[in-house]
Amino acid sequence: MLAGGVVVLLASISFAVSVGAVHIPSSTVWGVIVNQIAPDTVPVTWSAGREAIVWDIRLPRALLACLVGAGLSLVGAALQSVTRNPLADPHLLGISSGGAFGAILALLHVGLVVGLLTVPLFAFVGALGATLLVLGVSRMAGASSASRLVLAGVAISFVVMACANILVFLGDPRAHHTVVFWMLGGLGLAQWSHLVYPLVVLLGCGAYFWLRSGDLNAMMIGDETASTLGIPVVRFRLTVFVVGALLTGVMVAFSGMIGFVGLMVPHIVRFLVGGDYMRVIPASALLGAIFLVWADVTARVIMAPEDMPIGIVTGLVGGLFFIWLLARRQEG
């Protein structure tokens, strides 16, 4: 199944790079990619403009969709384990709200002081700050249980979003459309030089989740069972929260706020491969990447040549999915 998923992912990337306002055949897409990796390997039968569209615009965007989809899905799967909450997702802890605060501050009040990395950098710092606030509030209140940590995250999320709305209210109204587009999610800022940051963080955090898959299985059963197996429950839960915050903060910094991916994908994965996190972790990353690539394709072509925010597509699909899931459980 994983091998088949990799094939589907490669085909999805090829299709995503092909479609758009300017249609480019898949043979040209792969020719450009091969020629960029190994120059003069294949004869050049395409124009410089099409090569720029494939290599400089569409391929980095498709790869960023893969990284963001995989990262958000991994965090959702891990949080659903340590909180034993089927509705847990990367936005649960106020991380996305912190990222939104940082991005709005950069877009409306600071400007591009460090170039194109300004918005991702400010968004990441905001997400990290919100995470530290959640951990600080939970420690101050002695909230070490899963439910208390979730409540602390929800409270911080409301506070941070209120502060972000104040920044929007005080900012230049002519720039509000840029803020709205970022808050609804978008991959239009993808560049080759930026992809290394989410890639490195995804590999590191994903490896940690996969190596601790046995502990995540135990946490699904309950704190008592995990404790009897020798797992330091409180410390492990906090570690998963921090690792998830790091991964989510980096993804949100480069893509904006994209909802429902981390909430929906782990449920579908469990239908396909079961509940063992040794399988759930890699399958979630793979399916999340495929899903977000197709969501981005839909966002680009449904109102072409306009670029619809990808968060609208994921929100619509995610909402319909959970309506179906509720109906299915009711029938059961």
Side-chain angles (χ1 to χ4, degrees):
M1 185 175 292
L2 289 175
V6 172
V7 173
V8 172
L9 178 60
L10 292 176
S12 301
I13 294 173
S14 176
F15 182 80
V17 178
S18 297
V19 300
V22 177
H23 176 72
I24 300 176
S26 296
S27 57
T28 302
V29 170
W30 287 105
V32 170
I33 295 174
V34 171
N35 199 53
Q36 286 287 341
I37 296 175
D40 302 325
T41 304
V42 295
V44 177
T45 59
W46 52 83
S47 65
R50 292 200 166 195
E51 181 169 337
I53 291 173
V54 171
W55 187 254
D56 296 328
I57 300 175
R58 293 185 184 173
L59 185 58
R61 179 170 180 151
L63 294 178
L64 181 60
C66 294
L67 297 175
V68 173
L72 296 179
S73 300
L74 285 177
V75 177
L79 290 180
Q80 288 168 15
S81 168
V82 297
T83 64
R84 296 190 304 281
N85 184 350
L87 298 180
D89 80 327
H91 304 311
L92 188 68
L93 305 179
I95 306 168
S96 296
S97 300
F101 178 87
I104 292 170
L105 182 64
L107 290 169
L108 295 183
H109 299 278
V110 176
L112 301 180
V113 292
V114 291
L116 295 177
L117 277 176
T118 303
V119 175
L121 181 61
F122 272 67
F124 173 68
V125 172
L128 185 61
T131 303
L132 295 177
L133 280 175
V134 172
L135 295 177
V137 169
S138 61
R139 174 165 294 187
M140 181 181 64
S144 59
S145 66
S147 59
R148 295 290 183 88
L149 280 170
V150 170
L151 290 176
V154 171
I156 293 299
S157 177
F158 279 113
V159 172
V160 174
M161 279 308 300
C163 296
N165 290 332
I166 292 175
L167 292 180
V168 173
F169 179 75
L170 297 176
D172 187 353
R174 292 172 296 180
H176 284 180
H177 69 282
T178 304
V179 173
V180 171
F181 188 90
W182 190 90
M183 293 180 70
L184 293 176
L187 304 170
L189 298 178
Q191 297 184 15
W192 283 109
S193 59
H194 294 175
L195 293 181
V196 63
Y197 304 107
L199 175 61
V200 170
V201 174
L202 175 64
L203 292 176
C205 297
Y208 172 80
F209 288 143
W210 189 69
L211 292 173
R212 302 301 296 268
S213 57
D215 296 343
L216 292 173
N217 286 335
M219 294 292 288
M220 285 288 291
I221 303 174
D223 289 0
E224 296 80 6
T225 302
S227 297
T228 59
L229 294 175
I231 300 171
V233 173
V234 175
R235 187 175 65 188
F236 177 64
R237 181 180 289 119
L238 288 175
T239 303
V240 170
F241 272 50
V242 172
V243 174
L246 172 63
L247 185 52
T248 303
V250 172
M251 299 307 168
V252 167
F254 288 93
S255 67
M257 299 174 65
I258 300 177
F260 276 105
V261 178
L263 187 63
M264 176 176 57
V265 170
H267 286 277
I268 300 175
V269 166
R270 292 188 188 98
F271 287 141
L272 298 176
V273 301
D276 185 357
Y277 268 77
M278 186 67 70
R279 300 179 179 182
V280 168
I281 292 299
S284 294
L286 186 57
L287 185 59
I290 294 171
F291 171 74
L292 205 62
V293 167
W294 282 99
D296 185 51
V297 169
T298 304
R300 286 194 292 115
V301 304
I302 196 170
M303 294 179 62
E306 295 293 330
D307 195 357
M308 177 188 291
I310 193 173
I312 296 176
V313 178
T314 59
L316 179 62
V317 174
L320 293 176
F321 170 80
F322 270 94
I323 291 174
W324 170 81
L325 184 64
L326 290 173
R328 184 176 180 274
R329 290 189 173 183
Q330 182 66 25
E331 292 174 0

